[in-house]
Amino acid sequence: MKGRTTVRSPESVHDRRRLRQWLAGEALADGVSRRDMFRLLAAAGLAGAVPVSLGAPAAAATGIRGAADAPGIVKPLPDAWFTVRGTNAETRFASLAGTGYHTPNDRFFVRNHTATPVLAADDWSLTVWGDGLAHGRPVEFTLDDLKRLPSVTRSAFVECAGNGRSLFATQQGRSASGTAWTLGAIGAARWRGVRLADVLRRAGLGHRAVDVMPRGLDADYVTADGIDLGRVRRPLPLSKALDDVLLAYEMNGEPLPHDHGHPVRVLVPSWIGIASIKWVGDIQVSARPLYSPWNTDFYRLFGDSHPAEGGAPLTRQTLKSAWELDRDAGLRAGTVHHLTGRSWSGTGGVVRVEVSTDGGGTWRTAGLHDAPRRHGWVRWSTRWRPPAPGPYTLLARATDSTGRTQPDTTVHNTQGYLFDAVVRHPVRAL
Ligand SMILES: Nc1nc2c(c(=O)[nH]1)N[C@H]1C(S)=C(S)[C@@H](COP(=O)(O)O)O[C@H]1N2
Ligand SMILES: [Mo]
């Protein structure tokens, strides 16, 4: 650790409580390797106290991952709209120009740990279970049950925590593990569904509940090393689950598409994409703190500028901007171009965007086409006449309602999360 103090966010306080309870044998860590739990405990100065029998068994190795390059995505992925990256599809920002505020479903990025399961809404049900329910019995909800509850419509982006990851390598000379996204692992949609809070209360939420863990119906996730981590799942603190989380069954006025979680997904506004579990099949409501690999091994900041055990589990997304242009796009010299882009933040609406067309030498403000909105982005534009043929670097720099502005560099983390630095976008004037 290099002189960096850990900010005690509510989630980090909650996480310390989880650790103490795990030590007392009161927390569940199914599918989390013993090594990971010891790492967390060692960091808290508690490892010596752990009885050997308490460590979760190492996850079983169940063979090597299959054809990793089969996308497993149902919708068409035309080159004009997507770049396929392993099991995932990144939206090309250039294809968002003129599409309006919300990302059309057919252009929305897809992040799949394995493959899209094609589920029938009629056969689907959600099981809410666990010792955090007052009566302790599992409760089932069909889609019709959910649709009978009051519906809520919310506009929000879903963005992968690793969006922009490749820029750690291309712009800062230090690579990070994981999908090499540029900036297109984000989309904004109008989600309609029911409040998770309403469903939890109907299920008989008890006073002792502390963590809620939705789990997907897609296949077990097997790492490149052949470790089966089980189904995709990540605990949410109860306070967040009761706040603004939806169980969404519609996306931009249509039934949720298969690739985005049909028939029902969790939607956690402004939080890292992994919180928004797709194809949710069950939700564990626990009186004991919960761990999964997605809040121990993944989605914390690791690396030489971060605590050895990783930072607190990541929650909100950061601040970013993107031009609606391909990298190395060709623009005619001597003509005025109307250039567009989008900026967004997980901590508040974007209130200002500055742009530079000369590599950061001079800056001017872009015109904003949307009011600042929490959980959303703003569209912006600027005019530019490339004076002469040659290479140019475009930059866009956003400031959000908390007063935070995109920095010039992002502190590195080994898994490449939360890249927020101003991106240098190369274009050519022809
Ligand atoms: N069940 C399940 N939920 C999941 C995932 C997954 O692989 N399986 N991927 C998560 C990640 S990492 C992200 S970024 C978002 C992506 O949502 P999208 O594919 O609808 O864009 O879904 C999240 N929910
Ligand atoms: Mo993600």
Side-chain angles (χ1 to χ4, degrees), residues 37 79 84 120 129 142 177 220 235 283 287 310 363 373:
M37 291 311 296
D79 287 343
V84 172
W129 61 282
T142 64
S177 63
D220 284 9
I283 300 177
W363 293 84
R373 257 207 224 186

Side-chain angles (χ1 to χ4, degrees), residues 135-412:
H135 48 70
R137 287 185 309 276
V139 180
E140 268 197 43
F141 296 84
T142 64
L143 186 54
D144 286 339
D145 292 336
L146 294 189
K147 288 187 173 171
R148 276 192 287 271
L149 296 175
S151 79
V152 180
T153 301
R154 199 160 275 158
S155 175
F157 63 74
V158 169
E159 183 186 17
C160 188
N163 194 23
R165 176 181 287 126
S166 68
L167 293 150
F168 279 105
T170 56
Q171 194 160 297
Q172 300 190 175
R174 232 180 131 185
S175 62
S177 63
T179 304
W181 305 111
T182 57
L183 289 170
I186 181 169
R190 282 179 76 238
W191 309 93
R192 180 159 174 262
V194 295
R195 289 191 177 82
L196 177 56
D198 288 348
V199 172
L200 293 175
R201 292 202 177 98
R202 290 249 157 176
L205 183 65
H207 294 298
R208 289 163 49 244
V210 292
D211 267 338
V212 165
M213 184 156 68
R215 183 163 58 159
L217 290 165
D218 40 339
D220 284 9
Y221 175 59
V222 179
T223 67
D225 303 334
I227 310 293
D228 187 337
L229 300 181
R231 290 193 172 161
V232 178
R233 63 200 187 284
R234 187 177 199 250
L236 267 179
L238 182 71
S239 56
K240 182 63 180 175
L242 294 180
D243 181 14
D244 58 358
V245 179
L246 294 190
L247 291 176
Y249 47 71
E250 269 181 29
M251 180 177 180
N252 293 325
E254 292 167 19
L256 211 58
H258 286 299
D259 296 309
H260 301 291
H262 185 84
V264 176
R265 83 177 299 168
V266 179
L267 189 268
V268 186
S270 287
W271 278 37
I272 57 173
I274 187 64
S276 293
I277 295 291
K278 303 191 278 189
W279 316 291
V280 58
D282 71 281
I283 300 177
Q284 179 177 5
V285 182
S286 181
R288 293 165 289 173
L290 298 175
Y291 286 96
S292 89
W294 288 268
N295 73 340
T296 54
D297 231 9
F298 308 125
Y299 303 108
R300 293 178 182 242
L301 302 183
F302 293 99
D304 50 20
S305 301
H306 302 287
E309 78 281 14
L314 298 179
T315 57
R316 291 180 178 282
Q317 285 292 143
T318 187
L319 184 55
K320 291 194 189 74
S321 301
W323 296 83
E324 292 173 340
L325 274 177
D326 283 330
R327 263 181 107 75
D328 298 315
L331 298 165
R332 190 183 297 276
T335 5
V336 176
H337 298 272
H338 179 77
L339 302 180
T340 58
R342 298 175 193 238
S343 298
W344 61 95
S345 166
T347 52
V350 168
V351 297
R352 188 170 74 246
V353 178
E354 300 152 283
V355 294
S356 172
T357 49
D358 60 1
T362 58
W363 293 84
R364 57 186 182 275
T365 53
L368 302 189
H369 303 299
D370 296 294
R373 257 207 224 186
R374 283 178 71 206
H375 314 312
W377 49 22
V378 296
R379 290 167 290 175
W380 45 261
S381 67
T382 192
R383 285 177 182 281
W384 180 47
R385 190 173 67 84
Y392 292 86
T393 303
L394 308 184
L395 292 82
R397 180 169 68 194
T399 299
D400 72 17
S401 58
T402 69
R404 195 160 171 268
T405 299
Q406 288 182 256
D408 292 336
T409 55
T410 302
V411 175
H412 185 264

